[in-house]
Amino acid sequence: MENLLNVLEEKLTPIAVKLEQNRYLSAVKNSFMAAMPLLIIGSFFILLAYLPITAYTNFMLSTFGDD
């Protein structure tokens, strides 16, 4: 197993370094990294809005209505 990891590291490290040094790919990577916290927070709020628990759904409907 360790030999496999060494071979993969030996072969993939130069490719990863070249991709990291590419200006355009690095900009795309950095923009996704900046947007990731917002995406995670938004996902949690969507999960809370659509919990499949009957009591929670009834509470939300009685509090906020159908819309």
Side-chain angles (χ1 to χ4, degrees):
M1 185 67 178
E2 192 165 318
N3 289 336
L4 174 65
L5 292 176
N6 288 337
V7 169
L8 286 175
E9 184 177 325
E10 187 178 296
K11 300 288 183 185
L12 294 179
T13 301
I15 296 170
V17 169
K18 286 188 181 197
L19 289 175
E20 179 64 30
Q21 291 174 348
N22 187 325
R23 164 193 270 177
Y24 305 108
L25 291 177
S26 185
V28 170
K29 179 195 69 150
N30 290 337
S31 63
F32 275 111
M33 292 292 284
M36 191 60 62
L38 299 173
L39 293 171
I40 292 172
I41 291 169
S43 298
F44 280 126
F45 280 112
I46 287 179
L47 285 174
L48 284 176
Y50 295 105
L51 276 176
I53 300 172
T54 307
Y56 179 76
T57 305
N58 291 338
F59 169 74
M60 294 301 278
L61 284 174
S62 67
T63 304
F64 297 111
D66 290 335
D67 295 331

